Structures are given as structure tokens and as C-alpha cells.
Amino acid sequence: MGVESGDRIAVALSGGKDSSALIYMLNKFFHDRRDLQFVAIAVDEGIKGFRKLTLDNAEKLTDKLNMKLFTYSFAHEFGFTLDDIVSRGFEQAPCTFCGVLRRRVIERKAKELGSTKVFTAHNLDDEVQTIMINYIRGDIERLRRLNMHRIDEFVPRIKPLRSIPEKEIAVYAYLVGLPLLTAHCPYAKLSFRFSVKRMLNEFEMRHPGTKYSLLRGYEHLMELLPPSTEHQRRLLTCERCGEASASKLCKVCEIIARMKMH
Ligand code: SF4
Ligand code: ZN
């Protein structure tokens, strides 16, 4: 699935190099297509000393490209920030909460804005990390979901950069003059993903091509697997928020309940 005439595309923009490069490319290739509309959605998770820098960048870039930017925050949408969640000392890494909540904000807002598709800037490294995380955990269901339209997803998500290595996107961003921020999320190192990222980078350095072959191998494997039973399962509605969910209470409402309890 790609860009089709009449599409209203919401681009998830963090203001980091990948999403900045994506929005820059979309503007470059499609700016004269009157049959398409692009808007940017940014999410402020509430990470002190980090997110403001990238959001400022997102604002400057969308101003320059004359693209509308909608910014939403965890604080406003859920009543607490990611820093608040972290301060409660839950066992899971911050990224676990962050990913679930950010996904909800983007999904809900894209729907409200009438978007037909959501573009995200996941690159080859992100994609291969996710594949490897699920291999390690033996989570075949999630591996499968990665490759298809999710049952709890109303607006289809597309990752146009999923086969481009992170380093190549960084070089592109540098060459076209996009600001390269050196700020990193302070919570990134606490995630399982971070260990997998380090391992894959080491492998790639010693055995160039590892990331591509992992992605191709995964795609080949998906062709061989029988269709998912979960995917065919009847879609439930969360009994609290009414959003589509794979269980009675969706992951977002679970987090909200934990925040109220603690
Ligand atoms: Fe959220 Fe983790 Fe990304 Fe930080 S690194 S913004 S906590 S998903
Ligand atoms: Zn819910």
C-alpha cells in the first residue's frame, strides 16, 4: 500500500532525523500533487530536557515546508506525562508505556483529522530490531502483526523508510541541510530494544548485510506462515474507552488504571 490519489496523510513527526527526513522527502516528491494532503502529528510524551528540543525542530521544519503541524501531549490526553509514569517505579521499561500511549494518540488524532493513512519514519534498524526482539521472545503472533494491518488499527500505517538503514537516513538528512540533533531520550538505554540494537550494530559491523538479510528472511518467513488466528478473531471493543482492542480492557486503559491505583 502506498500513496493513492485523494489520500489525506498524517505523518508522525518527532522532530528527530528520521521523521524530519521523511517529511522533507514527502514534500520534495509530492508538493505539487493537488490531490494529496499532508499534515504532521507530533506527540509530547513529557520527557524533561529532551522532547522540547525535537518538538522545536518539528515546528521549524513544518513552518519551512508550509505544512500544518498538530501537537498533542500525554499530559492533556491522559492526565500524566511519561516522566510521571517513570516516577512511579513500575517494573517495565519506560518505552513499553511510551509506545502504547503514543500509538493511541497518533491513531486517535489521525482519525479525528480525517486521515486515510499514517506514515511513520521507522527505518531498517528499527524494523530489524523489532523482528529480532520478537524472535528472541518467541512471539510469532507479534512477528506476524508487524507485517500486516493490525486488527485494532483504524487508519492504516505505512513505513516508507523501513528498508533504509538509519545511517543512510542520517547522511541524507545531513546532505539536505536538516538539523541533526544529538539529544537522545534519557530512557532509551533502559529498554530491551537498546541491547538488541547494540548487538545488531556489532553484527552489522563484523558481517555487513546482516540487517538486510534479517529483513528479507523475515519477509520470506511471513509468506510461508499460515494466516494468523488472532487476525481473524472478532474485534473487541475496550469496555472503558470504546476503542478497538484485542481484549476487554485495552493496553491504554490498563496503563491509566495502574496510574490511578499506584
Ligand atoms: Fe519513548 Fe522509549 Fe522513545 Fe524515549 S526511547 S521517546 S521512552 S519510546
Ligand atoms: Zn480502553
Side-chain angles (χ1 to χ4, degrees), residues 140-141 144-145 147-148 221-233:
I140 304 300
E141 209 43 68
R144 214 185 319 231
R145 257 191 273 152
N147 204 33
M148 56 173 47
L221 188 67
M222 286 305 108
E223 284 166 19
L224 302 175
L225 276 180
S228 162
T229 46
E230 185 185 286
H231 196 67
Q232 293 165 337
R233 220 166 64 192

Side-chain angles (χ1 to χ4, degrees), residues 240-255:
R240 293 244 171 105
C241 69
E243 292 281 343
S245 167
S247 50
K248 268 167 62 180
L249 201 62
C250 74
K251 292 248 175 318
V252 172
C253 288
E254 263 176 37
I255 296 174

Side-chain angles (χ1 to χ4, degrees), residues 110-178:
K111 214 192 293 182
E112 281 175 20
L113 292 168
S115 310
T116 52
K117 282 166 193 154
V118 172
F119 276 21
T120 65
H122 292 92
N123 56 43
L124 175 70
D125 295 59
D126 299 323
E127 205 67 354
V128 171
Q129 285 156 24
T130 307
I131 292 167
M132 186 52 81
I133 287 169
N134 289 310
Y135 279 150
I136 294 171
R137 290 185 173 150
D139 196 337
I140 304 300
E141 209 43 68
R142 259 176 207 267
L143 270 176
R144 214 185 319 231
R145 257 191 273 152
L146 187 64
N147 204 33
M148 56 173 47
H149 179 51
R150 287 174 54 142
I151 55 168
D152 57 351
E153 197 173 68
F154 185 79
V155 187
R157 286 186 164 230
I158 296 170
K159 304 174 196 170
L161 306 180
R162 77 188 276 269
S163 56
I164 319 281
E166 185 179 355
K167 278 189 185 158
E168 286 184 24
I169 298 173
V171 171
Y172 178 83
Y174 174 74
L175 290 175
V176 299
L178 294 170

